[in-house]
Amino acid sequence: MAPRTEHGHGAPDPLVDRFGRVHTDLRVSLTDRCNLRCTYCMPAEGLNWLPKAEVLTDDEIVRLVAVAVGRLGIRSIRLTGGEPLLRRGLPGLMARLAALGPDLSLTTNGIGLARTAAELKAAGLRRVNVSLDTLRPERYAAITRRDRIADVLAGLAAARAAGLDPVKINAVPVRGVNDDEILDLVEFAAGHGYRMRFIESMPLDAQGAWDRSTMVTADEMLEILGRRWTLVPVGRHGNAPAEEWRIAGTDTVIGVIASVTRPFCGGCDRVRLTADGQLRNCLFATEESDLRALLRGGADDAAVESAWRSTIARKGPGHAINSAGFVRPERPMSAIGG
């Protein structure tokens, strides 16, 4: 599809909201299903998964991404879930998306990565983020309710061997659960050539049990890190969510995503597409736009583009987690996509 502007040629008109933020990063959830049951994400019995008929098909995902890249100026696509590696035929879908030209990355729990990393790299995947909150097998089993840490470690190694770069590890420190492993996780990542990122916990669990008192803040994380190392500020790359620090005298870079205590909404360039084709202009949005209904109703690309632009035009100034009027979204993180 040729890039389009208002005049029909050249680069696409930017996807901009009423605050002047230009959106170039799309998160696409491939499934709401997951093979873990992390205590901070969902109940032990899991959730009511989407019926297959409600999930976007490969053709529908490719068409929406084609509109996003060709008509809206989206440059980066991050594939998420649930657990995206549970999507059947993922390498084939990855290759079709790569052919559209965006920068492709993936966020995963890593369990299926050992057997898929090389094939996904060959299909066009460039980078991967792997969730790993602990290095202790018994603690991993307690947090995830699954004894699969060996699979995750094998997946990390396979991703690096396949040439995915960088391989990032995402950890959510929770007070009294795994906050005593912050230094260990950094040393593990540095020793294996991975990049470590810590994320403040957010009120997006399915149970509604999030408690601010158990959230380890960015300042606390940096204080813990500073006990062992001298940290040199690197800053933030463009509109990336992570602030980064380098350990003095080394090439080791640590990222901290402070979504709650240091909101970065003013520079947000992200938009999200759920597995059932709902467009969200914010992770914490309480409204969605049904792009799946447009596709299945026979809408042309111009109509899809118009709906997309209207959704972004309604984006608010920020998530308001720290205000008295904050309202949690009805969907949990696993159903939204990270």
Side-chain angles (χ1 to χ4, degrees):
M1 178 184 300
R4 188 202 72 91
T5 68
E6 184 178 344
H7 307 291
H9 57 82
D13 293 334
L15 183 59
V16 62
D17 65 19
R18 58 197 169 103
F19 300 97
R21 295 171 295 198
V22 177
H23 295 71
T24 59
D25 187 324
L26 173 63
R27 311 295 170 96
V28 179
S29 176
L30 300 181
T31 178
D32 62 329
R33 296 172 183 265
C34 189
N35 43 11
L36 297 180
R37 298 291 181 270
C38 296
T39 54
Y40 58 78
C41 185
M42 66 177 70
E45 64 274 16
L47 301 170
N48 293 321
W49 310 125
L50 290 167
K52 183 177 180 181
E54 295 184 14
V55 176
L56 291 176
T57 66
D58 285 6
D59 287 346
E60 289 170 335
I61 290 173
V62 171
R63 183 178 169 200
L64 288 173
V65 170
V67 170
V69 172
R71 303 175 73 103
L72 298 165
I74 292 293
R75 297 195 298 268
S76 299
I77 307 288
R78 176 170 293 279
L79 302 177
T80 68
E83 173 44 51
L85 296 184
L86 293 179
R87 176 97 182 194
R88 291 188 177 182
L90 180 55
L93 175 59
M94 185 80 68
R96 294 177 67 185
L97 297 177
L100 299 173
D103 179 78
L104 287 175
S105 58
L106 179 106
T107 295
T108 172
N109 62 30
I111 287 177
L113 201 52
R115 66 176 184 275
T116 58
E119 190 175 8
L120 292 175
K121 176 66 166 61
L125 181 63
R126 297 184 182 179
R127 302 183 309 284
V128 66
N129 290 7
V130 178
S131 299
L132 179 63
D133 296 312
T134 177
L135 297 171
R136 304 178 188 178
E138 70 286 353
R139 182 175 284 180
Y140 182 90
I143 293 173
T144 67
R145 302 187 178 100
R146 300 290 187 272
D147 185 14
R148 303 297 296 274
I149 191 170
D151 297 305
V152 181
L153 297 178
L156 283 164
R160 189 162 189 271
L164 295 169
D165 184 44
V167 176
K168 296 180 182 178
I169 297 177
N170 291 345
V172 179
V174 177
R175 199 178 315 283
V177 176
N178 64 336
D179 55 328
D180 56 342
E181 287 190 77
I182 289 176
L183 298 176
D184 293 341
L185 283 163
V186 172
E187 290 187 335
F188 169 78
H192 289 80
Y194 311 138
R195 188 173 298 178
M196 194 68 223
R197 304 201 314 176
F198 296 103
I199 306 172
E200 289 182 342
S201 65
M202 293 178 282
L204 286 168
D205 57 303
Q207 309 95 299
W210 181 80
D211 184 347
R212 184 181 289 267
S213 68
T214 66
M215 178 186 70
V216 180
T217 68
D219 285 345
E220 291 176 289
M221 298 178 202
L222 293 170
E223 192 276 328
I224 291 170
L225 294 166
R227 295 174 195 169
R228 181 167 300 180
W229 301 295
T230 299
L231 301 179
V232 179
V234 175
R236 197 188 301 273
H237 293 288
N239 293 325
E243 293 181 79
E244 293 185 332
W245 284 262
R246 180 174 54 80
I247 296 177
T250 76
D251 295 326
T252 299
V253 175
I254 305 167
V256 176
I257 299 178
S259 303
V260 177
T261 64
R262 301 182 187 180
F264 38 87
C265 302
C268 180
D269 64 350
R270 288 168 294 286
V271 59
R272 288 174 167 81
L273 182 66
T274 65
D276 57 345
Q278 309 304 302
L279 188 68
R280 301 175 62 88
N281 58 25
C282 175
L283 180 60
F284 291 91
T286 55
E287 297 179 350
E288 299 176 333
S289 297
D290 192 348
L291 298 188
R292 183 191 65 196
L294 284 177
L295 296 186
R296 296 182 181 180
D300 62 14
D301 287 353
V304 175
E305 175 189 357
S306 178
W308 207 305
R309 292 189 184 278
S310 295
T311 299
I312 296 304
R314 297 193 300 271
K315 186 169 182 171
H319 56 50
I321 289 177
N322 298 306
S323 73
F326 173 69
V327 177
R328 288 177 56 120
E330 290 186 5
R331 291 192 194 232
M333 175 69 91
S334 60
I336 295 171

